[in-house]
Amino acid sequence: MPEYKGKDVFTANPIIVELLRSHGALLSATDYKHSYPHCWRCHNPVIFRATEQWFVKLDQIAHGAQKSLRRKRSRKFTTSSGFPAGRGRIYEMIENRPDWCVSRQRFWGVPIIVFFCDACGKQLGDFTALRNVVKWFEKEGADAWYTHSPEELLPPGTKCSCGASKWRKENDILDVWFDSGSSHLAVLHGNEWPADVYAEGPDQYRGGSTVRC
């Protein structure tokens, strides 16, 4: 409703309670103290909302990953003193996780390359057209997604099945762990491979398990 626009839930709650009371529709209103999640950075209350997300269906790739983990010669896991072995933990994670939410809502990061038709809302499924974005990334990096319009990123004349040719970009970015897990391909490409150890930062090998490939 327009009278609540711009108000957060904590500000709007008492107003809605009074609205219900004025219409004789309020059954009960009671204040009570209870534990509530807060942001560890700013210490403000966390508001949970159901939102659309992008998922990777892991059961389609889990079999191959588990098969590789069962081949003991394919991966050598070494651990720091007192830290549990890594092979079993990774195997169980793959075995018990049917899908992985790879989308995040941030103002920075690697974008999810998806376009939607501005007229009918249909997702662009032309992978040849989508790969044109890679050319921009090779020249300017992932920031090209934010500095260029859909019409610039896509091949000229890219149209939806409805006939429209105006597109809007997906705003979500990829989970940063997706970046961490795949960044070695870019760093080691053309260099020595395989690597004894690859770590994205000190926290990746201090007190944890490392993988020798």
Side-chain angles (χ1 to χ4, degrees), residues 1 4 9 11-22 26:
M1 299 178 71
Y4 308 122
V9 294
T11 303
N13 276 343
I15 302 174
I16 295 173
V17 168
E18 287 306 313
L19 175 67
L20 293 171
R21 181 180 283 115
S22 67
L26 183 66

Side-chain angles (χ1 to χ4, degrees), residues 74-78 90 195-198 209-213:
S74 66
R75 298 291 183 269
K76 179 182 178 183
F77 287 76
T78 59
I90 294 177
D196 287 339
V197 173
Y198 176 78
S209 59
T210 59
V211 183
R212 181 185 179 91
C213 300

Side-chain angles (χ1 to χ4, degrees), residues 9-61:
V9 294
F10 303 105
T11 303
N13 276 343
I15 302 174
I16 295 173
V17 168
E18 287 306 313
L19 175 67
L20 293 171
R21 181 180 283 115
S22 67
H23 284 75
L26 183 66
L27 299 178
S28 175
T30 305
D31 292 330
Y32 64 96
K33 290 184 178 181
H34 62 94
S35 59
Y36 193 86
H38 285 67
C39 173
W40 66 272
R41 291 186 178 92
C42 65
H43 308 296
N44 289 325
V46 175
I47 302 171
F48 291 97
R49 291 191 177 96
T51 59
E52 293 184 349
Q53 303 290 343
W54 291 94
F55 288 83
V56 169
K57 194 171 179 62
L58 291 182
D59 59 6
Q60 296 181 2
I61 60 175

Side-chain angles (χ1 to χ4, degrees), residues 111 133 136-137 139-149 153 169:
V133 179
W136 286 95
F137 282 22
K139 291 189 296 182
E140 302 179 14
D143 282 350
W145 183 257
Y146 307 105
T147 56
H148 294 279
S149 68
L153 295 170
K169 296 179 286 187

Side-chain angles (χ1 to χ4, degrees), residues 166-182:
K166 190 170 179 58
W167 303 91
R168 60 180 174 85
K169 296 179 286 187
E170 170 63 62
N171 292 320
D172 287 359
I173 67 164
L174 282 170
D175 176 6
V176 293
W177 284 109
F178 189 94
D179 298 345
S180 297
S182 59

Side-chain angles (χ1 to χ4, degrees), residues 35-187:
S35 59
Y36 193 86
H38 285 67
C39 173
W40 66 272
R41 291 186 178 92
C42 65
H43 308 296
N44 289 325
V46 175
I47 302 171
F48 291 97
R49 291 191 177 96
T51 59
E52 293 184 349
Q53 303 290 343
W54 291 94
F55 288 83
V56 169
K57 194 171 179 62
L58 291 182
D59 59 6
Q60 296 181 2
I61 60 175
H63 178 72
Q66 289 173 319
K67 184 178 180 181
S68 178
L69 286 167
R70 284 195 294 268
R71 293 199 303 267
K72 293 186 177 181
R73 291 184 179 181
S74 66
R75 298 291 183 269
K76 179 182 178 183
F77 287 76
T78 59
T79 61
S80 300
S81 176
F83 199 82
R87 184 186 300 273
R89 292 171 62 234
I90 294 177
Y91 191 96
E92 290 176 6
M93 179 189 72
I94 296 172
E95 185 178 41
N96 299 317
R97 184 171 296 177
D99 43 38
W100 172 21
C101 179
V102 295
S103 53
R104 296 292 184 271
Q105 294 71 51
R106 301 289 187 273
F107 292 106
W108 51 269
V110 177
I112 296 176
I113 309 305
V114 172
F115 295 90
F116 299 97
C117 176
D118 217 23
C120 70
K122 185 177 180 180
Q123 180 182 335
L124 177 62
D126 184 345
F127 289 100
T128 302
L130 290 171
R131 287 196 65 82
N132 196 68
V133 179
V134 177
K135 299 176 183 177
W136 286 95
F137 282 22
E138 289 174 343
K139 291 189 296 182
E140 302 179 14
D143 282 350
W145 183 257
Y146 307 105
T147 56
H148 294 279
S149 68
E151 289 71 29
E152 290 176 292
L153 295 170
L154 291 169
T158 302
K159 289 188 176 182
C160 177
S161 58
C162 74
S165 58
K166 190 170 179 58
W167 303 91
R168 60 180 174 85
K169 296 179 286 187
E170 170 63 62
N171 292 320
D172 287 359
I173 67 164
L174 282 170
D175 176 6
V176 293
W177 284 109
F178 189 94
D179 298 345
S180 297
S182 59
S183 60
H184 70 286
L185 293 174
V187 174

